[in-house]
Amino acid sequence: MATGVAMPPVAAGAAVRTGTVSSTAATGTIKDVRHVVVLTQENRSFDHYFGRLKGVHPNAYRATVPWQYTVDAGGTATDFFSIGTGNGDGQYDLTITGPNRFLRRFTGDATAAGKSCEVAACYVNAPDTGKPALWFTFTNTSASAVTFTVTSGRYRGDGPWTYTVPAGGSKEDYCNAVALAEGWYDFTIRIGGDTSWSRRYTGHIETGAASVSG
């Protein structure tokens, strides 16, 4: 990883956020849902890249039937995943898969400390190499500092990297995946104080040039 600098918010496939929908009495309708996970998928490719998306896979807490989406070139798809009563009671474990080993996995508990933490990923050129890199933005909306730890599962032999984000703050950093690993990456991010919370990002940054299998 490298020291982060300001960068534009270009999407790298998927983001997740958790929220709470209040309810005062059971009605047997959508009004009873207290927690949801909102998934946003963007397609910045030149064609229907996510037309081959295998879908969003619930790994636990509900039926494990994948939800499939086709996202037009330059388009965005948004959906929600109920994690209310009977569907995890605040807990979630979701995997999004796509072509070329694209994978995003989100685990956590909307009633635990991690509800105030999030990570966003995107592809932007690195300031030192000028080549596409994987950028992370770590956000902490809680009332105290949180430490994010990034570990590499493959393609990198160094790390882990830690980032202490102050209350109400954020930090950015990037990995030179193209310059160091032919575009391949596999990172898992965890936070201190909540063992249920994790984010995993794997895939390949396409540059149009010849590459190698990951």
Side-chain angles (χ1 to χ4, degrees):
M1 309 290 280
T3 302
V5 297
M7 28 86 60
V10 181
V16 61
R17 66 180 185 272
T18 59
T20 300
V21 180
S22 62
S23 173
T24 57
T27 65
T29 70
I30 190 67
K31 295 179 180 179
D32 295 335
V33 176
R34 295 191 60 82
H35 300 289
V36 296
V37 172
V38 179
L39 299 170
T40 301
Q41 303 169 87
E42 294 188 70
N43 180 7
R44 303 276 181 149
S45 67
F46 60 88
D47 59 7
H48 290 212
Y49 192 63
F50 280 99
R52 302 186 297 277
L53 187 70
K54 294 181 180 178
V56 178
H57 301 257
N59 299 307
Y61 311 119
R62 62 180 300 157
T64 56
V65 178
W67 302 351
Q68 296 183 330
Y69 303 84
T70 297
V71 182
D72 292 336
T76 300
T78 300
D79 204 350
F80 72 92
F81 183 93
S82 173
I83 54 175
T85 302
N87 289 316
D89 300 319
Q91 301 176 91
Y92 57 91
D93 185 347
L94 306 169
T95 296
I96 301 174
T97 57
N100 218 3
R101 295 192 181 177
F102 178 94
L103 180 145
R104 303 290 186 263
R105 186 173 184 178
F106 308 96
T107 73
D109 187 336
T111 66
K115 66 182 180 181
S116 300
C117 300
E118 198 47 73
V119 177
C122 63
Y123 302 148
V124 177
N125 287 351
D128 53 349
T129 66
K131 296 181 179 181
L134 174 67
W135 287 77
F136 290 122
T137 301
F138 310 95
T139 302
N140 171 24
T141 60
S142 73
S144 58
V146 173
T147 298
F148 293 74
T149 300
V150 182
T151 58
S152 178
R154 295 184 63 188
Y155 313 116
R156 295 284 297 265
D158 50 348
W161 304 268
T162 60
Y163 307 86
T164 299
V165 181
S170 64
K171 286 189 175 181
E172 297 172 339
D173 204 356
Y174 62 93
C175 167
N176 275 308
V178 171
L180 300 177
E182 301 288 348
W184 295 100
Y185 60 88
D186 183 349
F187 293 105
T188 297
I189 304 172
R190 294 182 172 86
I191 60 172
D194 187 349
T195 58
S196 72
W197 192 99
S198 71
R199 302 290 187 262
R200 186 181 179 192
Y201 299 86
T202 76
H204 185 256
I205 301 177
E206 298 291 343
T207 64
S211 185
V212 298
S213 298

